[in-house]
Amino acid sequence: MILRRLTTAFRKQDWFTVGVETLIVVFGVFIGLQVNNWNAGRVSRNDAADLSSRLRIEAEETRAEIAAYLALNELILTEAKRLAVRLGDSETCLVMNDETKALILGIGDFPPPRFSLSSANEALETGRLSLIGSPEIRASVREMADQMAFMDNQWQRYVRVKQETEKAAYTAAGFRLMTEDELELRPGGDIVAGLDQYQITTPERVCGNTEVIALVSNAAVTQHLYLIYVTQVADRLDAYTAALSGTKARP
């Protein structure tokens, strides 16, 4: 319609109409571009707000998971220390009660960190982190992702120590799995699916065994170091969560 009016105006050399129609076209294009820019900006702001919210919720949930993970690893460390002391006391160790058996069976316990900052990692990999306007927040996301990766690498490194210790302790103790017939002959008559399934056949080879004691002690030290790393990650996660929430981290 406008093009037809412009063509007619040119033929009639009606330059005023040409000017008005041209202004209308330019103004229309300008308004359209402004509306598109406004819509794009609104979508970008909404995306940024959604990403910030997901990062904050993820950080809070992960912090709770790390707290439980720390408590579990503290317990594992305590048990490793108790085993090292128990093995060093041959007289007590040779009694081989269920507590000692449980300590030996648990020396290989080392659960992996099953939590991660998946939203943060995705934002980094896809470039969506650029939606966050604050350079400080973007730097915090990168640093926190690196810290989580470092913690996972430390676990993969230290789990070998636990596995070697477990193998040495089990071999020295002569662990074997009892048969159901053997279990049925035990007092009580019921088959127990717990520690009663396992029997230490060579207690004299594990009790007072300096090599096994050294390995168990090393496993305890390894567990201790890992706890330090996880605690440091937890502290950084506190600061990261506070930054995402716009509050100050607790001292």
Side-chain angles (χ1 to χ4, degrees), residues 108-112 153-165 222:
D109 289 348
F110 196 30
N153 289 336
Q154 290 301 109
W155 180 86
Q156 294 183 43
R157 172 187 173 192
Y158 287 161
V159 71
R160 300 187 185 95
V161 175
K162 303 285 282 188
Q163 291 170 339
E164 291 171 1
T165 303
T222 297

Side-chain angles (χ1 to χ4, degrees), residues 172-183:
F175 264 122
R176 80 177 184 91
L177 184 63
M178 297 178 67
T179 66
E180 292 186 359
D181 289 341
E182 289 174 319
L183 289 171

Side-chain angles (χ1 to χ4, degrees), residues 2-76:
I2 292 177
L3 181 60
R4 184 182 302 172
R5 289 202 301 268
L6 276 173
T7 302
T8 302
F10 269 114
R11 288 174 180 172
K12 294 181 178 181
Q13 295 186 349
D14 184 355
W15 305 120
F16 177 79
T17 301
V18 170
V20 170
E21 295 293 345
T22 301
L23 286 175
I24 291 173
V25 171
V26 171
F27 185 72
V29 172
F30 174 76
I31 293 297
L33 290 175
Q34 289 297 105
V35 170
N36 286 337
N37 290 338
W38 181 83
N39 284 333
R42 180 175 57 83
V43 170
S44 179
R45 287 191 297 272
N46 289 341
D47 287 346
D50 177 65
L51 177 58
S52 296
S53 176
R54 287 193 291 113
L55 291 175
R56 178 180 54 77
I57 293 172
E58 176 182 72
E60 292 171 350
E61 291 175 347
T62 302
R63 185 62 184 89
E65 292 173 343
I66 285 186
Y69 188 64
L70 277 169
L72 176 58
N73 278 277
E74 288 277 9
L75 177 61
I76 293 173

